Amino acid sequence: MKYRTVAVSTAAALAATALLSGCGSDDGGDGPAASGPASLTYWAWAPGLDKVAALWNDGPGKEAGITVTVKKQASGDDLVTKIITAAKAHKAPDLVQAEYQALPTLVSNDVLADISEEAGDAEDAFAEGIWQQTTLGSDALYALPQDSGPLMFYYRQDLFAQYGLTVPTTWDEFAETARALKKKAPDKDLTTFSSNDSGLFAGLAQQAGAQWWTTGGDKWKVAIDDPATRKVADFWGGLVKEGAIDNQPMYTPAWNKALNTGKQVAWVSAVWAPGTLTTAAPETKGKWAMAPLPQWTAGENVTGSWGGSSTAVTNDSKHKKAAATFAKWLNTDPAALAALVKEGGIYPAATAAQTGGALSEAPDYFSNQPAFYTEAAKIAQGTAPAAWGPNVNVAYSAFKDNFAAAAKNRSDFGPALAAMQDATVADLKKQGFGVSE
């Protein structure tokens, strides 16, 4: 993670109720109407968004006099850096695609407008845990959810049957399944713990109830090394230490081969996993199945998120109402959502679009599981809220550094988690944020 957030005053880094007092959507450019005429610029990286915008421009946008031009950008940290730089020069676009974990950084840098008055009525279109990520737990609304990545459990049906394994419904059962496989096939692993996937670890912590960043008064509180996350770290660290699962990172040629040959027989991932498996393990098409993420308490339906992004309106926009109108259409209108799925290949955050229509059929790789998206929608409803802060990049970098060493050495994960906490707190203080101990 390369970008650095700009230090803001403690007063500006207040509680999530109003991280910035200057983020209202008082809109001098739109006049009394929520529409145009207006020409809007939208910075985004998702594929096909230009085609979705064309639907708007030829339909509702034409009627309202609002034209949207998509300008393709790099994703992740590169876009965050670029948008902050542009905002400092008061040259930010009207709209920007922003990952959920980047929203506090953008808000604390005075980039994003509060569009609660223009689009707050869209709340019921999304799962509570997803909506919360765009409000930062406040009465403000800094973006509209676009896509999401609920976590779930993927496994090789044929190998589970061959080795007499039962799909785990709890994490205790998951551990026992890993051990059972090792006894029956010492050369195989249920899965691996990957030290290069900060987002997956964050999602697993969310499922356990972690809230890594919260605010109180004018200070941030960091709780990465909290009981919920320690439970997750100890669980995975214990499995790695005893050799019940592998300790190699994902997204490497070796990992691809392990999936493709059946050396690894399961994967904890998100709803977008079919696309990855298509290229990583092409020879196992039709042999995998998806199930809910194992639970900490039997019978619950709670999952975390790995990935996902939103559509935000910037403070530099001269047409905030028009921009919010487009953002709301893009992420709630049935035609727009269908186009997002078709052209962008996303899993929509809007619950109404998670089944039927463009998602009426299972991914081709999972043609053996016709109800794939029906099951995924049920899982997504249980998405736990995430609590992001203004230096997620630092926390993620610290995770990779410290957990990589712990996983490689098969040592306790506790010290690695403490180091992640310490690095995050130290960076917040260095930037000038108030931090409560």
Side-chain angles (χ1 to χ4, degrees):
M1 297 286 187
K2 300 174 183 173
Y3 71 82
R4 295 284 301 167
T5 57
V6 179
V8 296
S9 69
T10 299
L14 289 174
T17 54
L19 281 169
L20 285 165
S21 59
C23 286
S25 54
D26 183 24
D27 184 47
D30 283 334
S35 57
S39 295
L40 309 177
T41 301
Y42 180 18
W43 285 6
W45 72 84
L49 274 177
D50 54 337
K51 296 180 181 178
V52 183
L55 291 178
W56 164 266
N57 292 336
D58 292 338
K62 180 179 289 187
E63 296 177 8
I66 303 172
T67 301
V68 176
T69 300
V70 176
K71 291 192 175 181
K72 194 73 176 287
Q73 306 292 325
S75 62
D77 301 333
D78 291 337
L79 179 54
V80 171
T81 300
K82 187 172 182 179
I83 193 71
I84 290 175
T85 301
K88 288 171 68 177
H90 299 292
K91 294 183 179 179
D94 299 278
L95 298 125
V96 62
Q97 183 180 7
E99 292 178 293
Y100 297 119
Q101 68 266 26
L103 290 176
T105 298
L106 296 175
V107 170
S108 66
N109 280 282
D110 204 11
V111 175
L112 304 184
D114 174 7
I115 55 172
S116 55
E117 290 187 11
E118 294 82 4
D121 58 350
E123 179 176 0
D124 291 342
F126 307 95
E128 182 180 355
I130 295 296
W131 183 258
Q132 182 268 348
Q133 295 193 67
T134 58
T135 66
L136 308 187
S138 72
D139 292 330
L141 176 64
Y142 295 108
L144 279 169
Q146 182 164 305
D147 60 304
S148 64
L151 292 174
M152 42 200 66
F153 180 69
Y154 294 87
Y155 65 99
R156 283 281 300 272
Q157 279 185 309
D158 56 335
L159 296 180
F160 262 57
Q162 179 179 337
Y163 294 110
L165 305 177
T166 302
V167 178
T169 60
T170 66
W171 287 112
D172 284 343
E173 291 177 1
F174 179 94
E176 290 305 315
T177 301
R179 297 179 184 116
L181 176 63
K182 267 297 175 191
K183 290 181 180 178
K184 297 178 179 180
D187 62 327
K188 296 184 181 296
D189 294 288
L190 181 64
T191 190
T192 188
F193 177 84
S194 180
S195 59
N196 63 2
D197 288 286
S198 318
L200 173 57
F201 184 75
L204 292 170
Q206 291 160 21
Q207 186 209 24
Q211 298 280 300
W212 282 359
W213 286 268
T214 55
T215 52
D218 60 356
K219 294 183 178 181
W220 284 96
K221 180 176 178 60
V222 179
I224 292 174
D225 189 10
D226 71 331
T229 310
R230 281 197 294 271
K231 178 170 66 174
V232 175
D234 290 347
F235 175 81
W236 288 92
L239 290 177
V240 169
K241 192 173 184 179
E242 70 177 84
I245 61 173
D246 199 3
N247 63 342
Q248 300 303 308
M250 296 186 235
Y251 299 108
T252 64
W255 179 74
N256 291 347
K257 183 177 180 180
L259 293 181
N260 204 33
T261 61
K263 187 180 185 302
Q264 287 186 23
V265 304
W267 183 26
V268 174
S269 187
V271 70
W272 42 257
T276 300
L277 290 171
T278 299
T279 55
E283 295 179 18
T284 61
K285 175 183 176 182
K287 297 180 179 180
W288 291 79
M290 178 270 288
L293 197 65
Q295 301 292 303
W296 289 106
T297 302
E300 290 189 344
N301 175 36
V302 183
T303 192
S305 297
W306 186 6
S309 63
S310 63
T311 309
V313 177
T314 73
N315 277 318
D316 282 349
S317 176
K318 298 295 192 291
H319 305 283
K320 293 190 182 73
K321 291 179 182 177
T325 298
F326 169 76
K328 184 177 177 181
W329 172 87
L330 179 66
N331 298 298
T332 63
D333 181 85
L337 291 166
L340 281 173
V341 174
K342 178 183 178 182
E343 305 294 347
I346 72 164
Y347 185 71
T351 55
Q354 291 174 352
T355 56
L359 296 181
S360 58
E361 295 183 4
D364 184 56
Y365 193 90
F366 280 79
S367 58
N368 56 303
Q369 192 173 9
F372 181 94
Y373 284 119
T374 301
E375 295 301 317
K378 295 177 183 177
I379 294 169
Q381 283 297 316
T383 301
W388 304 113
N391 63 340
V392 174
N393 57 316
V394 172
Y396 276 17
S397 179
F399 169 84
K400 293 177 182 179
D401 292 342
N402 292 283
F403 278 81
K408 181 179 180 180
N409 298 329
R410 297 188 185 276
S411 59
D412 290 340
F413 282 7
L417 188 63
M420 186 179 170
Q421 163 90 17
D422 292 344
T424 306
V425 170
D427 178 75
L428 280 178
K429 292 180 178 178
K430 182 180 178 180
Q431 291 192 65
F433 290 98
V435 181
S436 61
E437 300 297 336

